Amino acid sequence: SQKIEQNSEALNIQEGKTATLTCNYTNYSPAYLQWYRQDPGRGPVFLLLIRENEKEKRKERLKVTFDTTLKQSLFHITASQPADSATYLCALASGGYNKLIFGAGTRLAVHP
Amino acid sequence: DGGITQSPKYLFRKEGQNVTLSCEQNLNHDAMYWYRQDPGQGLRLIYYSQIVNDFQKGDIAEGYSVSREKKESFPLTVTSAQKNPTAFYLCASSPVPRSSTDTQYFGPGTRLTVL
């Protein structure tokens, strides 16, 4: 069966460290993968998109990697700040239109 | 939440009642979507619409209905046939439904509680 897995346990890190979140998938061949940020009680906000032929994408303190052999994407936040505390969702493109399949998300807590 | 509004933010319903959740966007997007989010689960697609007067069932459409009479509006009705309607409902839109790289823009969500 098709599955997208993100670490259900919260990730706690100290301010200034690099946070690394993982997204694993099975039985998909996504054309691209997206990462979203969601704050409590609010809708997700798009952060980054990476295509299947790209290994790495960066945006300011954010970096995403995409390994189609391992079927895994890693999401990094460098020099993390308490304001980065949120739940981060990965989403895969599935189908011939913009249909996204979302993981359950990983909650990140950055402590001062 | 940029250009997508959902109302109300909190909604309480008695069992056996239908209720309609509003979603409006001023982004001039063609495609709109409804998701349901439950604790510990990913967003699940209920219905989507790629163009006015057309919509398709998503993965969990049973007990829900939608309409798309205007480009900017995509209301969702939760009917009494929905067995477990208590959840956080999210509306989203994207500019070009068949693009391979379109991101989705989400509204602030409506939290529905069945009493």
Side-chain angles (χ1 to χ4, degrees):
Chain A
S1 63
Q2 297 175 319
K3 286 198 302 185
I4 302 174
E5 292 183 334
Q6 295 186 256
N7 194 339
S8 60
E9 293 185 9
L11 178 62
N12 292 281
I13 65 168
Q14 191 172 3
E15 182 177 8
K17 302 294 185 183
T18 296
T20 299
L21 286 70
T22 304
C23 178
N24 295 300
Y25 60 92
T26 56
N27 297 324
Y28 284 111
S29 295
Y32 62 90
L33 185 148
Q34 300 182 6
W35 283 89
Y36 289 77
R37 169 184 172 141
Q38 186 175 24
D39 291 289
R42 301 179 67 97
V45 175
F46 170 77
L47 295 175
L48 281 169
L49 178 150
I50 186 165
R51 296 178 177 82
E52 60 181 338
N53 60 349
E54 297 176 320
K55 296 293 185 184
E56 181 179 298
K57 183 72 70 75
R58 291 177 184 264
K59 178 183 177 182
E60 298 174 349
R61 294 185 295 111
L62 309 180
K63 184 179 82 171
V64 172
T65 62
F66 193 10
D67 189 324
T68 56
T69 300
L70 292 178
K71 296 186 180 296
Q72 180 181 79
S73 175
L74 298 179
F75 177 80
H76 306 272
I77 305 177
T78 59
S80 60
Q81 306 166 0
D84 294 326
S85 298
T87 295
Y88 292 86
L89 311 174
C90 70
L92 303 179
S94 176
Y97 64 97
N98 192 19
K99 179 179 178 181
L100 295 177
I101 309 297
F102 284 85
T106 298
R107 187 165 62 86
L108 171 67
V110 181
H111 303 283
Chain B
D1 302 327
I4 300 182
T5 58
Q6 291 185 243
S7 61
K9 188 166 181 62
Y10 298 97
L11 188 57
F12 297 90
R13 187 193 93 176
K14 293 182 180 179
E15 280 192 32
Q17 289 181 336
N18 293 354
V19 63
T20 297
L21 282 60
S22 169
C23 178
E24 304 279 331
Q25 55 101 358
N26 62 3
L27 301 170
N28 199 33
H29 288 171
D30 288 306
M32 297 187 74
Y33 313 82
W34 272 105
Y35 294 91
R36 169 183 173 139
Q37 187 174 35
D38 295 281
Q41 296 190 43
L43 278 66
R44 292 183 290 169
L45 183 64
I46 304 173
Y47 268 97
Y48 64 96
S49 169
Q50 300 178 49
I51 196 169
V52 174
N53 293 323
D54 184 57
F55 49 83
Q56 307 295 328
K57 292 183 179 180
D59 301 318
I60 55 166
E62 185 175 352
Y64 300 98
S65 66
V66 293
S67 63
R68 186 86 188 275
E69 297 177 1
K70 298 186 296 183
K71 187 176 184 177
E72 59 270 22
S73 179
F74 191 41
L76 172 74
T77 296
V78 184
T79 75
S80 57
Q82 169 49 233
K83 301 300 181 188
N84 185 22
T86 294
F88 188 49
Y89 290 87
L90 287 159
C91 179
S93 69
S94 65
V96 180
R98 294 191 180 276
S99 168
S100 65
T101 59
D102 276 335
T103 63
Q104 294 187 10
Y105 297 77
F106 285 84
T110 292
R111 187 167 297 280
L112 173 64
T113 302
V114 175
L115 304 173

